[in-house]
Amino acid sequence: MLIITRQQWLKIVNEAWRVYPLEACGLLLGSIDAESSTANVERFVPIDNAAASAKLYALEGSQFSKTALSADREGLEIVGVVHSHTHTRAYPSQTDVSEGTRPLVPPDWHWPILSLAGGFPELRSFQFDQKSDDKSSDSVGIVEEPIRFLE
Amino acid sequence: MSSVSVRLPTVMRPQANGESVVSAEGESVGDVLQNLVAEFPGLRENLLDDEGSVRKFVNIYVNDEDIRFMEKLETPVEGTDEVTILPAVAGG
Ligand SMILES: [Zn+2]
């Protein structure tokens, strides 16, 4: 499950419209409860899309590095990455799955996607369930998780 | 030889006694990484390929600056510098 306040959700929506029609992206800071694989998002940190594309995103490295440091200092974890789809529905693309399951990417990260394709923002959230032995992307399960909005 | 701090990505921390930041000696980023994997051999697999080059999709920063935009592994480091290792994160 992904738990997020409406205020942080609104920040994601604002960032996505701000950079529209390019894809927006950013880091989610908070805490993960491993037992229930629940991410509690305390803060959305927008990161520039280094790909500057309507079809791809890449977290700009210098901002990612700074955010990782400040998260460590504040005792927050990076719990996942959010990005927008400007022309497709809120479901992981093949690229999302292959990039999201690279070796150094934490397997417990959460991957919410905000779609603007329908003309209004739709947020859905996913985890990638990687079978440990087989690294081919066919073996990665896309697991949609519920989102709980807090006031 | 100076010793710099190296901030590890969460996935690598279990191979470094659970530490988020470790120190390693070296005059350049390349030196630092070699000394790092010498001290924590478990880090090698995720960090370096068989030729000792940094793996694809692994980014190295010195004081938040990507070494690809500096002198890559030759980038010099000194005492107060912080080296950060992070995955490249992207998607479509
Ligand atoms: Zn995507």
Side-chain angles (χ1 to χ4, degrees):
Chain A
M1 178 168 6
L2 188 87
I3 302 174
I4 187 166
T5 63
R6 292 197 184 271
Q7 188 190 24
Q8 297 305 305
W9 170 78
L10 204 53
K11 280 191 182 173
I12 296 169
V13 173
N14 283 339
E15 175 67 5
W17 282 122
R18 189 182 72 80
V19 303
Y20 184 89
L22 305 184
E23 287 195 9
C25 53
L27 290 162
L28 302 173
L29 308 187
S31 56
I32 289 180
D33 177 49
E35 192 88 349
S36 60
S37 71
T38 295
N40 194 357
V41 178
E42 293 183 31
R43 194 183 311 154
F44 161 63
V45 180
I47 303 285
D48 285 349
N49 177 0
S53 158
K55 295 191 168 151
L56 296 171
Y57 78 91
L59 294 184
E60 194 281 323
S62 168
Q63 293 171 28
F64 182 12
S65 176
K66 282 186 185 132
T67 305
L69 170 62
S70 56
D72 271 352
R73 289 215 170 122
E74 290 182 70
L76 294 172
E77 284 175 78
I78 297 173
V79 304
V81 173
V82 60
H83 72 284
S84 65
H85 282 180
T86 52
H87 300 90
T88 55
R89 65 201 182 110
Y91 195 79
S93 65
Q94 199 69 39
T95 316
D96 289 332
V97 176
S98 58
E99 296 282 343
T101 50
R102 301 245 184 251
L104 280 191
V105 177
D108 59 353
W109 271 7
H110 298 247
W111 301 89
I113 297 173
L114 184 84
S115 171
L116 299 177
F120 65 92
E122 182 194 17
L123 186 71
R124 291 170 65 182
S125 189
F126 305 87
Q127 287 200 283
F128 302 136
D129 179 20
Q130 198 170 16
K131 315 285 178 289
S132 53
D133 306 339
D134 186 352
K135 299 282 185 200
S136 72
S137 59
D138 298 348
S139 69
V140 176
I142 298 173
V143 182
E144 182 162 12
E145 60 179 355
I147 300 176
R148 178 141 61 105
F149 290 100
L150 300 180
E151 292 307 324
Chain B
M1 185 165 294
S2 59
S3 174
V4 299
S5 51
V6 182
R7 182 167 298 275
L8 301 172
T10 45
V11 170
M12 292 173 87
R13 293 174 188 179
Q15 282 86 51
N17 306 328
E19 299 289 337
S20 57
V21 182
V22 294
S23 62
E25 293 197 330
E27 305 288 331
S28 68
V29 172
D31 283 355
V32 167
L33 297 183
Q34 290 302 331
N35 287 325
L36 180 71
V37 299
E39 189 173 352
F40 302 105
L43 296 179
R44 174 178 284 274
E45 195 194 340
N46 278 326
L47 187 59
L48 304 175
D49 63 19
D50 295 340
E51 279 91 57
S53 311
V54 175
R55 282 193 184 282
K56 265 188 180 174
F57 312 112
V58 175
N59 292 342
I60 313 283
Y61 305 87
V62 175
N63 306 329
D64 303 320
E65 188 90 27
D66 193 322
I67 62 165
R68 282 177 302 172
F69 306 130
M70 297 190 285
E71 296 168 58
K72 303 192 170 73
L73 290 174
E74 312 292 306
T75 305
V77 288
E78 54 184 30
T80 54
D81 290 335
E82 183 164 73
V83 175
T84 302
I85 303 168
L86 285 172
V89 175

